Amino acid sequence: MSFLARMRSISPVTTRLIVCAAVVIVACASTFAPLASCDFIQYDDQVHTFANPHLNPTTWQGLVYLWRHPYEQLYVPFAYTGFALLCLISKTPHAERFTQTGAPFNPHVFHIANIVLHTGNALFLFFLLRRIVKKDVPALVGCLLFALHPLQVESVAWVSELRGQLSAMLGFISLASYVKAWDIVEEAGEPLDRRAQWSALGVFAGSFLCFVLALLTKPTAVVYPVLIPLIDSLIHRRSLRQYVQEFAPWALVSLLFIYVARNDQYIMHSALTAPYLRPFIAGDALTFYLEKFFAPINLAIDYGRTPRVVLSDLRSFELWIIPAALIGLAFYLSRKRPWILTASLISLVCLAPNLGLVPFAFQYYSTVTDRYAYLAMIGPALLVAKLVTRLRTPWLYIVPVVVLAAWSGLSSARCADWKNTITIMKQELAVNPYSAIALVDVGNYYQDEGLHAVALRAYRTTREQRPDLWRGYYNAAVSLMALGRVHEAAEMYLETFQYNSDFIDAHMGLANALIEEGRPSAALPEFDKSAQIDKNVAELHYGRGRAYLAMKEYRKALSEFNKQIKVDDSLASAYICKGVVLREMGQRKAAQKMLDKGKAMEDDDASWYADLGKAESLAGRLGDANTHLSKAQRLNPGDAGVRRTLASVQKALSRLNRGLPPNED
């Protein structure tokens, strides 16, 4: 049969489905096309991908670690499995052509993956809406509302939100499997034969598995045991009791994940509010999302609507009336039009984890943000699809077409804001001049570029605008260390603890600053505090070993370096420090073996001389340290750490030549 003959044999129903699916794909591809050439941004993207020590380099050991331990206060190992796959695909020796972040990965691969996942989610929703409204065009309109609304851009544009996209797709697959399982049961009729039983059971099991994987991708999947029955009630119309019986085990799994997530997540004190005030915060959030749905302009990652800001505005104690009235209206209309109430409940359930009824970490920045509305857009999509089925005059279809075209244009323009860190953060500051995220990330951008003096000015502005923002102090400390202003850095680390006493990196940073200041014994308690917060903190034993080396307690130093090598045998500087310790202990043959092994692991000669010189400076071998650090600086003049240590060594040598102690009291 020829191709044309095969095309003619396709039924009109199948043809309409193909056309509708093609429209969804083309609409998503054209709207989100600008994202395909965007860079990573320096807000979370680096944490999850190129600065993630378990994914860069990408190894089985790193992936196993992410399945066995929480990372960055979240346990989402399936999401990191997705990130790992993309890291392998996108790794390139010419990454500088695609990114300014110094990452070894091509960010375009990550962005294209997000676009593909979002398009897939939209297609799932189209077939779901078609099943509910039983018409192609209304289902297509509802689907395009979900796919093209400007509130969805953040979830598609942000590489870090691969978690949300993948979790949503797993949720759609779980829902589709559940619906299919009951289709099998209904088609088989009573009594069920063995084949139908096993077939339905297998599909049910697949649905549950996808739900669990969704939870392992993003914690907000805890809503699926309520969301799936809500949507299925429009298809199979089963009783509430039946849904409760079936989804009780799912709910128990969700409760377990909620417990795990709450334990892993650190919530700042400023995000905590009295329980009786939280409904007002939730009412303000719902009103905000309603406003942005109808007027999706001036969008941002961080709107600055923290609990403190919301409760300081008296209008917040009145705004809850708007969503409450709409929900009441939905209940009133539910007798004749139950789909209105169902659609409203779908949105409410999807937003529930992040309304502020229960405190969560991001409330430190804002209770509301665009990505929290991603799944909640299923509700409006269903409402619009149902309303379009009631259009009797063809020219009225112009209205949804014009609105969708406008939203597509706004979304495409919003995509351009995500070009790189500076473009998105400038837009953030235009919408919210007090954006904690933008104020810090502008400084981070300059810090990563090595422009630490410029970064310090940005962090100073951060502290002036948001004195409660601990990252403004911590990141300033990092830049001060890079500039060799070690004492000021130590003070800034201490300022960090006033707002976040459990931030491990600050404790580790302060410990290293104290070692450089010549106070290694004072550094040890900071390492101990880091271990109390997280016993698996990276390079803990290495840091302790450096402190003991500076204190000339060689046996303790050797023990710590051995522990570090046992935990992570890829750290070249640990072997070099161990070699220096063994040399000080008179074990020259063993020392040379360790030094040779460390040298073989280094990326280049500059790194070898730098690490050797730093270890020798801790051991008090200032002459050798001066020689090796000088070689490192000649080979790599831009290494701020080498420059700082070399200056300290040369200052100590100068004091010795004048008959003074190497360190000032």
Side-chain angles (χ1 to χ4, degrees):
M1 185 183 291
S2 68
F3 175 75
L4 289 175
R6 289 177 181 173
M7 291 298 292
R8 291 192 197 98
S9 67
I10 296 175
S11 68
V13 173
T14 304
T15 302
R16 286 197 301 271
L17 284 177
I18 293 172
V19 170
C20 288
V23 169
V24 173
I25 293 169
V26 171
C28 289
S30 58
T31 299
F32 297 105
L35 297 177
S37 59
C38 288
D39 200 350
F40 295 111
I41 67 165
Q42 295 282 14
Y43 175 61
D44 276 8
D45 283 358
Q46 77 279 21
V47 174
H48 296 303
T49 56
F50 58 89
N52 184 337
H54 310 294
L55 293 183
N56 184 19
T58 310
T59 63
W60 279 111
Q61 292 85 348
L63 191 57
V64 168
Y65 178 90
L66 292 168
W67 273 91
R68 295 178 64 183
H69 302 91
Y71 175 70
E72 289 296 312
Q73 301 182 29
L74 286 173
Y75 182 68
V76 287
F78 197 72
Y80 285 118
T81 303
F83 279 125
L85 178 62
L86 293 177
C87 286
L88 288 171
I89 295 170
S90 65
K91 190 170 179 60
T92 170
H94 307 293
E96 68 278 359
R97 299 178 185 175
F98 312 106
T99 176
Q100 299 175 346
T101 61
F105 309 124
N106 181 349
H108 304 172
V109 174
F110 291 83
H111 286 295
I112 291 170
N114 265 7
I115 295 170
V116 170
L117 285 170
H118 177 62
T119 304
N121 291 335
L123 288 171
F124 269 115
L125 183 61
F126 165 71
F127 287 105
L128 179 67
L129 292 175
R130 183 176 178 272
R131 181 71 185 272
I132 294 170
V133 301
K134 297 179 173 58
K135 291 185 179 180
D136 293 331
V137 174
L140 178 63
V141 173
C143 165
L144 291 176
L145 181 153
F146 172 87
L148 306 180
H149 196 283
L151 276 175
Q152 304 292 60
V153 173
E154 180 180 310
S155 295
V156 185
W158 195 8
V159 166
S160 297
E161 266 305 285
L162 175 81
R163 299 168 298 165
Q165 294 293 320
L166 184 55
S167 178
M169 176 161 282
L170 289 165
F172 277 120
I173 296 172
S174 179
L175 171 60
S177 301
Y178 180 82
V179 171
K180 178 62 178 176
W182 274 107
D183 286 345
I184 293 171
V185 172
E186 290 184 353
E187 288 170 8
E190 294 289 347
L192 280 179
D193 59 54
R194 186 175 295 276
R195 183 175 181 180
Q197 286 178 345
W198 282 107
S199 179
L201 185 61
V203 180
F204 273 128
S207 176
F208 181 74
L209 175 62
C210 287
F211 161 62
V212 173
L213 291 176
L215 284 170
L216 293 170
T217 305
K218 193 171 184 181
T220 49
V222 295
V223 303
Y224 291 166
V226 180
L227 179 63
I228 291 175
L230 272 173
I231 296 174
D232 184 73
S233 68
L234 297 170
I235 300 172
H236 291 119
R237 306 180 190 280
R238 301 169 65 242
S239 70
L240 176 61
R241 183 177 179 179
Q242 288 175 305
Y243 285 125
V244 170
Q245 289 175 340
E246 287 176 14
F247 284 91
W250 296 47
L252 289 174
V253 174
S254 283
L255 289 172
L256 174 63
F257 271 80
I258 290 170
Y259 174 77
V260 170
R262 294 288 294 173
N263 281 346
D264 290 339
Q265 196 175 73
Y266 178 78
I267 300 174
M268 297 292 291
H269 181 73
S270 59
L272 300 175
T273 52
Y276 71 90
L277 292 172
R278 294 173 193 170
F280 297 108
I281 296 170
D284 177 84
L286 288 170
T287 305
F288 173 88
Y289 288 122
L290 284 168
E291 176 192 340
K292 289 300 180 184
F293 175 78
F294 290 107
I297 56 175
N298 295 327
L299 302 179
I301 301 172
D302 168 18
Y303 291 100
R305 298 193 68 79
T306 63
R308 188 175 299 173
V309 169
V310 169
L311 295 174
S312 66
D313 187 349
L314 291 178
R315 291 176 299 175
S316 301
F317 293 93
E318 302 170 352
L319 289 174
W320 65 270
I321 297 172
I322 298 172
L326 290 174
I327 293 169
L329 179 62
F331 270 102
Y332 175 76
L333 297 172
S334 63
R335 291 184 179 180
K336 293 184 178 180
R337 299 176 180 84
W339 48 270
I340 296 178
L341 178 60
T342 303
S344 303
L345 290 175
I346 287 170
S347 292
L348 196 59
V349 165
C350 292
L351 290 171
N354 301 114
L355 287 177
L357 293 170
V358 177
F360 56 95
F362 195 75
Q363 280 188 290
Y364 179 69
Y365 303 105
S366 180
T367 299
V368 293
T369 191
D370 296 356
R371 63 185 178 278
Y372 293 158
Y374 186 76
L375 282 177
M377 294 296 288
I378 296 174
L382 173 59
L383 275 175
V384 168
K386 279 285 191 178
L387 290 172
V388 171
T389 61
R390 284 159 170 72
L391 294 180
R392 296 292 179 260
T393 309
W395 64 265
L396 287 176
Y397 280 91
I398 295 174
V399 176
V401 169
V402 170
V403 172
L404 289 171
W407 281 347
S408 176
L410 287 171
S411 292
S412 191
R414 174 65 173 153
C415 288
D417 294 336
W418 287 83
K419 183 178 180 181
N420 54 46
T421 300
I422 291 298
T423 56
I424 188 62
M425 294 308 160
K426 281 183 177 178
Q427 173 62 19
E428 287 293 302
L429 292 172
V431 175
N432 176 17
Y434 298 98
S435 169
I437 289 173
L439 289 167
V440 169
D441 278 14
V442 168
N444 291 354
Y445 174 83
Y446 292 117
Q447 189 180 81
D448 291 339
E449 293 293 309
L451 303 172
H452 293 285
V454 181
L456 281 175
R457 288 198 292 271
Y459 296 136
R460 188 180 304 117
T461 304
T462 301
R463 297 194 300 276
E464 290 169 356
Q465 299 278 35
R466 286 288 302 273
D468 64 324
L469 185 62
W470 58 270
R471 281 201 173 273
Y473 302 94
Y474 168 74
N475 291 21
V478 173
S479 282
L480 287 167
M481 285 290 289
L483 293 170
R485 294 155 63 177
V486 180
H487 183 70
E488 292 175 71
E491 291 180 341
M492 204 60 71
Y493 283 127
L494 290 171
E495 289 284 341
T496 306
F497 300 141
Q498 292 188 28
Y499 304 99
N500 188 351
S501 60
D502 290 333
F503 187 49
I504 292 175
D505 290 356
H507 286 290
M508 295 289 287
L510 176 59
N512 288 319
L514 291 170
I515 292 172
E516 292 205 23
E517 275 195 301
R519 294 191 286 160
S521 59
L524 290 172
E526 296 304 319
F527 288 124
D528 292 341
K529 289 175 185 175
S530 299
Q532 288 170 9
I533 298 167
D534 182 2
K535 63 181 180 181
N536 296 311
V537 61
E539 299 187 13
L540 173 66
H541 297 295
Y542 174 69
R544 280 177 173 158
R546 291 179 69 246
Y548 285 126
L549 175 57
M551 295 164 66
K552 301 192 180 343
E553 295 188 25
Y554 299 126
R555 291 192 180 280
K556 290 182 179 179
L558 183 61
S559 174
E560 292 295 338
F561 290 130
N562 283 333
K563 289 176 183 177
Q564 181 62 50
I565 291 168
K566 185 176 181 180
V567 171
D568 179 9
D569 61 0
S570 64
L571 189 62
S573 54
Y575 289 96
I576 293 169
C577 284
K578 181 180 176 180
V580 170
V581 169
L582 290 169
R583 191 168 62 186
E584 294 301 312
M585 295 173 72
Q587 301 178 35
R588 294 190 172 277
K589 191 173 181 180
Q592 193 58 50
K593 184 179 179 181
M594 285 297 106
L595 292 172
D596 289 344
K597 188 166 186 176
K599 183 177 182 179
M601 295 171 66
E602 292 282 19
D603 294 331
D604 49 45
D605 287 345
S607 300
W608 153 244
Y609 286 123
D611 285 339
L612 179 58
K614 290 175 183 177
E616 289 169 333
S617 71
L618 290 174
R621 291 184 172 269
L622 299 179
D624 292 340
N626 183 48
T627 300
H628 293 129
L629 289 169
S630 297
K631 288 182 179 179
Q633 188 175 43
R634 284 195 297 272
L635 292 169
N636 185 8
D639 191 325
V642 168
R643 190 165 57 247
R644 180 176 72 245
T645 309
L646 179 60
S648 176
V649 167
Q650 291 177 341
K651 183 179 179 180
L653 285 170
S654 175
R655 288 178 62 82
L656 285 172
N657 290 334
R658 285 181 285 143
L660 298 172
N663 296 317
E664 298 178 18
D665 292 330

